[in-house]
Amino acid sequence: MGAVHRLSLFVLLALFAISAPAGPVAATPQAERAEQALVSWYKLALALVRHTPTYSPPVASRAFSYMGVTAFEVVASGNEKLQSLAGQLNGLLPPPKRKAGETYDGAVVLNAALSSLVRDLFQNTGPTGQRVMGLQETKLRKLVADEVPADIVARSEEYGRQVAAHMLAWSRDDGGAVIENMGFPFAYTLTPGAAHWVPTSLISQQQFPLLPKWGDNRTFAMPSGKTCGLPAPPAYSEDKASSFYAEALEVYETVKTLNAEQRAVARFWSDDPMLSPTPPGHWISIALQIIDRDRIDLDKSVDVLARLGIVLADSFIACWDAKFQYDLVRPVTYIRRVIDQRWEPLLITPPFPEYPSGHSTQSGAAAAVLTKFFGENFAFEDRTREGDGVKPRRFDSFWAAANEAGFSRLLGGIHFRSAIERGLQQGRCIGDYANALRTRR
């Protein structure tokens, strides 16, 4: 067994142990058991994202959206104060209803639904992930079902599986259900011209861009991937007096003079696939930390996780639509061609077009949703990368975190300023649609 595989095993098993602790459960109220099941499945999903090769950031955002909507619909089905998202989200029909006059255990329902959903979403993960999902299923089932009458457990589990099946059926035709070749097309024609994207990696698979059709996927809350479109980036030019050259020079000079704090910021938000829960997972992690810190109740927890998952998924669809509309060259390509052929960015450039910044779009969208939900000037500490040896960072607001996340991509040498600033603006627009969803009667 190689070192990386051993690390994966230990990380997953350690997370599993934290997610679903053993111990007496008989006196635990139903809502608390449900909350524990909810958080445990999310924590496992965050780990599975970084251990499943097809889970690039757009794919991860899709999974978190279906998890959030499923959890919300399950809880709403037993709560008269909550309003279903059916009819509000694109293509979502009303899920199955609980049978009138029958008794259900909400924690058992929620656990069964998320267990079925996560199993399906991560069916292509490796043997370690499969093993840990099985362990979690066994342990959480005991946690939520002990001392619940057998007939209620059976009825509740069947209902949870029905809701999950309904959500998975909805997911099948959204455009993102099947990921081949880790998301890289088998054939692709590059756009001619110096202004356009060219491969920045020597890896053969990455000679074509990641998920070029992702912008065509069905959105969740906003009408389509083009709804929050952006103006064109600054006109390509190699003239030293042009705004395009000025933005490239800013990236070049910034990276050459980085201080320790700037390097820390760039690496804190790097969120590389297979080495982290990815950018959308980072924001999900932030929400989970707040839920734990502030002891947020179940109704609010599923509400915020649903809105956050939805807005992150819509962000990647809208961002990818714009990326492939403009197909802009990356800083590393331009700088080496025009300014300094030996220049190196701090971070590895992702294999797809530059404009806008995906970090910025999704961070702006997440900040819009979390600010609406928790309020302005909501201070928090982000410990997402602590397990990787990365020190936590404190923020006075969600927008402070979003702005830092966006700017971190310039520090890393990955994006021009326009891509960052306009990406944050695009995120605000996308956030408006998630914030407009009605979840309370």
Side-chain angles (χ1 to χ4, degrees):
M1 182 185 292
V4 173
H5 185 75
R6 287 199 302 272
L7 178 61
S8 299
L9 175 63
F10 290 133
V11 167
L12 284 169
L13 290 179
L15 177 127
F16 165 72
I18 295 170
S19 296
V25 299
T28 306
Q30 186 176 135
E32 290 184 20
R33 289 185 284 116
E35 184 82 28
Q36 191 162 358
L38 174 74
V39 171
S40 294
W41 281 114
Y42 265 95
K43 285 184 176 180
L44 183 55
L46 288 172
L48 290 170
V49 160
R50 67 191 292 169
H51 291 85
T52 307
T54 55
Y55 268 74
S56 60
V59 179
S61 72
R62 175 182 180 271
F64 290 127
S65 188
Y66 285 113
M67 284 186 69
V69 175
T70 299
F72 179 83
E73 291 297 316
V74 163
V75 174
S77 71
N79 188 323
E80 295 180 352
K81 296 180 180 179
L82 297 180
Q83 178 172 330
S84 172
L85 294 169
Q88 299 185 70
L89 301 180
N90 298 322
L92 178 59
L93 300 175
K97 295 183 181 296
R98 301 187 186 200
K99 293 181 180 179
E102 298 282 8
T103 300
Y104 294 83
D105 185 278
V108 175
V109 174
L110 181 59
N111 183 59
L114 289 178
S115 173
S116 295
L117 191 85
V118 171
R119 271 285 190 188
D120 189 277
L121 292 174
F122 293 95
Q123 60 184 283
N124 66 321
T125 198
T128 301
Q130 298 291 344
R131 177 187 174 192
V132 175
M133 281 193 286
L135 290 170
Q136 175 133 305
E137 285 174 343
T138 300
K139 199 162 190 178
L140 282 179
R141 189 175 189 274
K142 177 176 175 58
L143 174 74
V144 300
D146 265 11
E147 299 201 10
V148 177
D151 62 323
I152 295 178
V153 170
R155 184 182 308 117
S156 300
E157 289 184 334
E158 175 60 24
Y159 177 66
R161 289 191 289 266
Q162 288 175 1
V163 175
H166 180 84
M167 296 301 171
L168 289 168
W170 172 46
S171 77
R172 300 299 186 211
D173 63 352
D174 69 355
V178 178
I179 304 297
E180 296 181 322
N181 198 37
M182 292 179 63
F184 294 94
F186 293 104
Y188 186 85
T189 301
L190 297 178
T191 307
H196 298 296
W197 181 84
V198 295
T200 58
S201 169
L202 296 178
I203 299 173
S204 59
Q205 192 179 45
Q206 296 183 6
Q207 300 313 293
F208 296 149
L210 178 72
L211 298 168
K213 299 296 184 183
W214 197 262
D216 297 332
N217 284 4
R218 183 183 64 210
T219 50
F220 286 82
M222 64 183 189
S224 78
K226 299 185 183 302
T227 300
C228 291
L230 293 174
Y236 180 86
S237 175
E238 297 180 10
D239 185 339
K240 292 184 178 180
S242 68
S243 59
F244 196 93
Y245 183 91
E247 289 202 13
L249 188 63
E250 179 187 25
V251 176
Y252 172 73
E253 293 180 340
T254 297
V255 173
K256 287 192 69 174
T257 60
L258 290 173
N259 59 35
E261 170 67 6
Q262 290 172 322
R263 289 174 180 272
V265 168
R267 292 189 168 121
F268 182 84
W269 292 104
S270 60
D271 293 327
D272 302 295
M274 305 299 292
L275 298 175
S276 77
T278 73
H282 195 145
W283 283 99
I284 292 291
S285 171
I286 288 172
L288 291 174
Q289 291 171 68
I290 293 169
I291 286 170
D292 178 63
R293 184 193 72 178
D294 295 354
R295 302 183 65 82
I296 306 297
D297 65 32
L298 181 64
D299 293 1
K300 291 181 179 178
S301 294
V302 294
D303 192 344
V304 71
L305 288 170
R307 290 180 191 271
L308 185 56
I310 287 164
V311 85
L312 290 169
D314 278 356
S315 293
F316 277 96
I317 295 171
C319 179
W320 252 242
D321 180 82
K323 278 183 180 293
F324 286 90
Q325 176 186 355
Y326 297 112
D327 196 31
L328 191 64
V329 66
R330 284 282 184 170
V332 65
T333 304
Y334 181 91
I335 290 171
R336 286 177 177 172
R337 179 195 300 152
V338 179
I339 300 175
D340 181 352
Q341 64 181 356
R342 292 173 295 182
W343 182 79
E344 291 289 342
L346 176 67
L347 303 179
I348 297 172
T349 298
F352 41 81
E354 191 270 346
Y355 179 86
S357 156
H359 266 60
S360 302
T361 297
Q362 65 117 37
S363 294
V369 164
L370 293 173
T371 299
K372 176 73 172 179
F373 200 91
F374 292 111
E376 300 279 353
N377 302 318
F378 186 95
F380 65 97
E381 182 179 57
D382 179 7
R383 311 178 73 87
T384 297
R385 304 295 308 283
E386 194 171 32
D388 299 319
V390 179
K391 292 182 180 180
R393 293 186 67 81
R394 295 179 181 273
F395 300 97
D396 292 331
S397 70
F398 296 113
W399 279 109
N403 289 330
E404 182 179 278
F407 191 64
S408 74
R409 306 310 269 174
L410 192 153
L411 298 175
I414 288 174
H415 279 293
F416 302 118
R417 181 173 291 274
S418 289
I420 294 165
E421 293 178 347
R422 293 181 186 173
L424 289 165
Q425 293 170 8
Q426 185 181 44
R428 283 183 182 271
C429 173
I430 298 164
D432 287 342
Y433 289 93
N435 285 335
L437 294 170
R438 301 181 306 279
T439 56
R440 302 279 166 170
R441 296 185 186 277

